[in-house]
Amino acid sequence: MTGDMMMNETQGDSTSPNMDIPMSSANTTIDASVVQSRILQSASLAKQHTHDDDDGQNTMEEEQPSFPKLSAMQAQGGKVEYRRVRCPPHRYTPLRECWEQILTPLVQYLKLQVRFNTKTRSVEMKTSPHTIDTGALQKGADFVSAFALGFEVQDAVALLRLDDLFVESFQVTDVKMLRGDHLSRAVGRVAGQDGKTRFAIENATRTRIVIADTRIHMLGSYANIRVARNAICDLILGAPPGKVYNNMRNVAKRMNERY
């Protein structure tokens, strides 16, 4: 009787269906030079996902039309745009000496038409059929305006290459109403001996600062300009330079750790 039971079990095993499911990843050996997925799927699921991906790709290709990029003049309906930037008298000589360096990025990079009007003492720019970027004219005007404020050409040209740079200007009297010698001493505290304080703020905050009489112009990113403005305001209000140096040292250390 025991032999009959064993025979019945053997016959039951031989007639039971095979429960092994074929998997999509048939490789059993691991090659260190080949990156393989650790997600195993059955062959039917892998086939279904492949079919769904193909359908989605075909649908996206059908739904996304392609349009040629419009030039600056075509975006404005064929109209020519103008910008005029007045040059202050104390920047005539630097403008004449650096005219070629100013003209090169405006013409070759932005594809603008530029001239200097001697009657109005201003730099005039307009778009051309070759202008591609719709914001090229505004970028060029910002670049020339930054040079007219007193920045070097190498610093002002960064406005053409980076979109997150800004120029902020304010007067010393906007922070505190000062007159006479008090105003002169406040400007001297901001500049420092031989410009040492200004250079320290520039290097710590990664900005560029121009001090023109009682006006202060700053070039940099929004966050960096805010830090530099706070330091300059502290100096105008009468904070000792040593305390400002210490704050700038901490700011420089934080920026080096961040980047």
Side-chain angles (χ1 to χ4, degrees):
M1 186 172 180
T2 305
D4 295 339
M5 292 177 63
M6 293 179 61
M7 186 175 294
N8 293 334
E9 291 178 358
T10 306
Q11 291 177 357
D13 293 341
S14 62
T15 57
S16 62
N18 188 8
M19 300 302 294
D20 293 336
I21 300 176
M23 307 303 288
S24 61
S25 180
N27 297 329
T28 57
T29 59
I30 298 177
D31 188 1
S33 62
V34 179
V35 179
Q36 297 179 351
S37 175
R38 292 179 292 177
I39 301 177
L40 300 180
Q41 295 179 341
S42 64
S44 60
L45 281 177
K47 185 177 180 180
Q48 182 179 359
H49 288 172
T50 305
H51 181 67
D52 293 341
D53 292 342
D54 294 340
D55 291 343
Q57 186 175 3
N58 295 333
T59 305
M60 291 184 63
E61 291 178 356
E62 294 176 358
E63 292 179 354
Q64 292 182 352
S66 61
F67 298 101
K69 187 176 181 180
L70 295 177
S71 62
M73 291 188 64
Q74 291 175 348
Q76 296 297 327
K79 297 180 181 179
V80 179
E81 289 187 314
Y82 294 89
R83 289 288 190 281
R84 177 183 295 173
V85 179
R86 293 189 179 275
C87 183
H90 68 280
R91 297 296 290 172
Y92 289 160
T93 302
L95 182 67
R96 184 172 59 251
E97 294 176 352
C98 304
W99 179 248
E100 186 176 356
Q101 302 177 21
I102 296 173
L103 201 64
T104 300
L106 293 176
V107 175
Q108 295 184 0
Y109 178 66
L110 297 179
K111 309 296 183 183
L112 298 174
Q113 295 180 357
V114 188
R115 73 173 184 178
F116 181 76
N117 194 333
T118 56
K119 293 183 179 180
T120 60
R121 296 285 186 172
S122 59
V123 180
E124 297 178 351
M125 294 166 283
K126 71 174 184 178
T127 57
S128 66
H130 304 285
T131 307
I132 300 175
D133 188 6
T134 56
L137 192 62
Q138 187 60 48
K139 288 182 179 179
D142 294 340
F143 165 60
V144 178
S145 299
F147 179 81
L149 291 176
F151 293 99
E152 297 292 336
V153 180
Q154 294 81 2
D155 299 331
V157 78
L159 290 169
L160 304 179
R161 301 176 180 174
L162 302 175
D163 294 334
D164 60 342
L165 294 183
F166 305 91
V167 176
E168 183 174 335
S169 303
F170 66 93
Q171 292 189 0
V172 176
T173 54
D174 295 338
V175 181
K176 186 178 182 181
M177 291 300 298
L178 299 172
R179 294 182 180 85
D181 294 339
H182 299 286
L183 181 60
S184 301
R185 281 193 290 269
V187 175
R189 283 196 300 271
V190 175
Q193 185 179 5
D194 298 329
K196 183 174 66 173
T197 305
R198 179 173 67 90
F199 291 146
I201 297 175
E202 286 182 348
N203 295 331
T205 60
R206 299 179 183 179
T207 57
R208 289 294 178 265
I209 300 173
V210 171
I211 302 174
D213 196 15
T214 60
R215 293 183 297 273
I216 297 175
H217 313 289
M218 296 175 293
L219 169 66
S221 64
Y222 180 80
N224 295 344
I225 285 179
R226 182 181 60 184
V227 177
R229 183 178 64 244
N230 293 338
I232 293 174
C233 291
D234 290 341
L235 290 171
I236 294 174
L237 293 175
K243 183 178 180 180
V244 177
Y245 285 157
N246 190 18
N247 294 336
M248 290 297 100
R249 193 177 299 111
N250 296 334
V251 168
K253 185 183 299 183
R254 286 199 303 267
M255 286 190 173
N256 292 331
E257 293 176 355
R258 183 187 306 174
Y259 298 106

